């Protein structure tokens, strides 16, 4: 110490350049200390969210909880249906609830709500121009499938021409009209078309049997390829934080699109139904393999939606994540239910232990997502945009169908 000041032995030999480097080193150390003392970085928060999403315990649902949730959601949807304006997007989103009693006794009314009066009239009268519309044919396939699923007999007249006493076109005739327009070997563009083929063959229209078998084989191959080449592959273990972040970026870039995987799950349900109708062992073996892939992918899909929810940028995005998860979970349950009907000799027989367990866990997750939406300020206070409200109704319909399907799991 000199003149009351502290000095260091090496201070005298430091050059001006050394002193500059020393000052930079001290500043860098101070910066690092400040960073380490702050809240976790955004990347650290995402990594924590990824670990939590994967590690979140999966719980099963009791039968009592399932029935209570079904009743609550059914009542909510019935209120929504009574409030929806005729012909509105929100009414169309509720079509998955199926036809009312009046619709079942008058299928033309149901078709008019799907296609509009002009297009319905054109189809019932065999208009060549109407049959050229590919999108309209897909919509008509969907409308006919839901009518047949609801138990409307193929012999039911769809309409009686004004002033005539004899019935007009029967439902089965309209089904044939739609199927005969499509080239027999053309690739299907919608799972509704595969469903319509299945129901036609099941209803006794055996001329479509080979066409159904070809289409089912083709779609099973495609679905298997998608499962094997996807980023989240069955049996590959829990997704890494990097995989979750990559998938989250993809999801956010396509928010306006249909929920991730929704179309594939619809195809899965359709091929399971077709397999049940055909009862051909090679197809059944391929369908069982596809079912195992769905079961193996469940944990990864669950982790993705939990990660998206935890890292949502705001309440609106969190609500959209919950909507997408709700619809996907509902479709997932429907697909597994279709597999159960296809592989079990009795519809009343419970699925295998692993399938039943996954269905109960998915039902629990589905109800949690619905409760999350109910608690979300935007949804609870009716602050969703019209498009988001339509998404909510569609997701709720699939949630109800999924919960009803989960009954088979005991």
């Amino acid at each position: 110490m000199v003149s009351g000041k502290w000095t260091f032995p090496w201070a005298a030999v430091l050059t001006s350049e050394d002193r500059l480097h020393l000052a930079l080193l001290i500043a860098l150390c101070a910066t690092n200390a400040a960073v380490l003392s702050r809240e976790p970085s955004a990347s650290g928060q995402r990594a924590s969210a990824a670990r939590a999403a994967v590690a979140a315990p999966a719980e099963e649902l009791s039968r009592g909880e399932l029935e209570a949730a079904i009743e609550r959601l059914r009542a909510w949807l019935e209120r929504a249906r009574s409030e929806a304006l005729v012909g509105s997007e929100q009414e169309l989103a509720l079509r998955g609830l199926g036809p009312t009693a009046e619709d079942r006794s008058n299928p033309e009314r149901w078709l008019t709500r799907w296609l509009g009066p002009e297009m319905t009239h054109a189809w019932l009268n065999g208009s060549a121009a109407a049959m050229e519309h590919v999108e309209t044919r897909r919509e008509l396939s969907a409308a006919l499938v839901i009518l047949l699923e609801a138990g409307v007999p193929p012999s039911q007249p769809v309409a009686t021409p004004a002033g005539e006493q004899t019935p007009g076109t029967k439902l089965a005739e309209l089904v044939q009209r739609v199927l005969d327009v499509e080239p027999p070997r053309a690739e299907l563009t919608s799972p509704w078309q595969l469903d319509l083929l299945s129901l036609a063959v099941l209803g006794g229209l055996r001329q479509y049997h080979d066409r159904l078998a070809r289409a089912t084989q083709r779609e099973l191959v495609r679905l298997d390829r998608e499962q094997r080449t996807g980023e989240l592959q069955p049996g590959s273990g829990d997704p890494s934080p990097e995989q979750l972040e990559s998938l989250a970026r993809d999801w956010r870039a396509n928010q306006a699109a249909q929920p991730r995987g929704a179309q594939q799950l619809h195809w899965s349900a359709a091929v399971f139904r077709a397999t049940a109708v055909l009862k051909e062992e090679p197809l059944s073996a391929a369908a069982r393999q596809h079912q195992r892939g769905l079961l193996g992918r469940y944990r990864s899909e669950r982790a993705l939606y939990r990660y998206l929810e935890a890292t949502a940028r705001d309440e609106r995005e969190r609500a959209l994540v919950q909507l997408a998860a709700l619809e996907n979970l509902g479709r997932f349950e429907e697909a597994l239910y279709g597999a159960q009907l296809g592989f079990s000799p009795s519809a009343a027989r419970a699925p295998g232990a692993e399938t039943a367990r996954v269905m109960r866990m998915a039902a629990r997750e589905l109800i949690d997502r619905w409760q999350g939406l109910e608690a979300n300020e935007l949804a609870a206070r009716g602050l969703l945009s019209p498009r988001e409200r339509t998404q909510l109704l569609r997701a709720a319909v699939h949630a109800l169908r999924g919960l009803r399907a989960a009954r088979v799991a005991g």
Side-chain angles (χ1 to χ4, degrees):
M1 188 170 68
V2 179
S3 302
K5 297 182 180 179
W6 286 99
T7 61
F8 298 94
W10 38 263
V13 298
L14 288 178
T15 65
S16 59
E17 185 178 354
D18 292 333
R19 290 189 179 94
L20 177 60
H21 289 165
L22 180 60
L24 289 175
L25 178 61
I26 294 171
L28 181 60
C29 290
T31 300
N32 287 340
V35 168
L36 292 173
S37 65
R38 290 177 187 167
E39 292 297 318
S41 64
S43 61
Q45 290 175 333
R46 289 194 295 270
S48 296
R51 288 192 295 270
V54 170
E59 300 178 4
E60 298 183 32
L61 193 71
S62 72
R63 187 54 181 259
E65 291 173 307
L66 177 63
E67 294 299 335
I70 288 173
E71 180 54 31
R72 184 177 179 182
L73 191 51
R74 183 203 61 78
W76 188 91
L77 281 166
E78 287 300 330
R79 287 195 301 272
R81 184 184 235 178
S82 67
E83 295 167 359
L85 298 176
V86 176
S88 67
E89 286 294 319
Q90 295 184 6
E91 186 201 35
L92 295 179
L94 294 163
R95 294 179 298 190
L97 291 175
T100 63
E102 187 176 351
D103 293 330
R104 288 194 291 272
S105 61
N106 183 12
E108 184 184 19
R109 180 178 182 270
W110 173 252
L111 297 178
T112 299
R113 289 163 62 189
W114 274 71
L115 306 176
E118 292 184 7
M119 192 59 71
T120 300
H121 179 77
W123 265 100
L124 292 178
N125 286 278
S127 166
M131 296 179 186
E132 292 175 358
H133 291 79
V134 176
E135 183 59 35
T136 303
R137 292 202 300 270
R138 286 198 291 262
E139 287 293 301
L140 184 55
S141 295
L144 292 172
V145 166
I146 292 182
L147 280 174
L148 292 167
E149 284 181 336
V152 178
S155 59
Q156 171 77 32
V158 178
T160 300
E164 297 185 19
Q165 299 299 316
T166 56
T169 307
K170 291 182 172 60
L171 191 60
E173 294 172 330
L174 189 54
V175 169
Q176 290 182 261
R177 191 174 295 173
V178 175
L179 294 177
D180 289 343
V181 172
E182 303 284 357
R185 293 185 176 273
E187 291 194 13
L188 305 181
T189 58
S190 166
W192 292 115
Q193 295 169 300
L194 186 59
D195 277 329
L196 191 61
L197 273 171
S198 296
L199 292 172
V201 173
L202 187 64
L205 300 177
R206 300 294 297 174
Q207 65 267 38
Y208 301 114
H209 177 277
D210 290 348
R211 184 170 161 190
L212 174 63
R214 288 194 302 270
T216 304
Q217 175 66 36
R218 188 167 57 237
E219 295 308 324
L220 277 167
V221 170
R222 181 182 62 80
L223 288 169
D224 177 63
R225 183 172 61 250
E226 288 182 356
Q227 278 191 340
R228 287 186 288 104
T229 58
E231 188 163 356
L232 295 181
Q233 296 184 32
S236 60
D238 292 328
S240 68
E242 293 75 20
Q243 285 178 310
L244 288 177
E245 179 58 22
S246 173
L247 291 166
R249 282 196 301 270
D250 179 65
W251 185 89
R252 291 185 175 110
N254 296 280
Q255 275 190 35
Q258 194 175 27
R260 182 181 182 278
Q263 188 75 347
Q264 285 83 351
L265 287 168
H266 192 173
W267 277 112
S268 296
V271 298
F272 289 143
R273 167 181 273 165
T275 302
V277 171
L278 292 166
K279 293 182 172 62
E280 296 179 5
E281 184 50 38
L283 290 177
S284 296
R288 288 190 185 93
Q289 179 179 338
H290 180 59
Q291 182 199 23
R292 287 192 291 271
L294 288 181
L295 293 172
R297 207 174 62 188
Y298 169 70
R299 274 184 60 87
S300 297
E301 294 285 342
R302 176 177 179 268
L304 171 60
Y305 280 108
R306 282 185 167 271
Y307 177 76
L308 283 166
E309 195 171 359
T311 59
R313 292 170 293 193
D314 51 39
E315 285 304 303
R316 186 168 298 280
E317 183 174 280
R318 184 168 289 106
L320 293 177
V321 171
Q322 291 164 338
L323 285 174
L326 196 67
E327 178 167 347
N328 265 20
L329 285 163
R331 288 184 180 276
F332 177 72
E333 294 278 29
E334 290 179 77
L336 291 183
Y337 178 73
Q340 159 64 12
L341 294 182
F343 305 146
S344 172
S346 169
R349 180 180 172 184
E354 178 61 13
T355 301
R357 186 181 70 88
V358 171
M359 291 184 78
R360 289 193 295 269
M361 289 192 300
R364 160 62 67 193
E365 196 76 11
L366 195 158
I367 291 172
D368 288 347
R369 299 285 73 72
W370 178 251
Q371 290 174 342
L373 273 170
E374 287 183 312
N376 187 289
E377 181 180 358
L378 295 170
R381 293 175 56 194
L383 299 179
L384 297 176
S385 69
R387 182 180 69 85
E388 292 163 349
R389 173 69 177 174
T390 299
Q391 287 179 285
L392 171 60
L393 295 176
R394 187 184 66 215
V397 167
H398 283 288
L400 179 61
R401 290 168 63 99
L403 288 176
R404 286 172 171 167
R407 282 169 165 159
V408 74

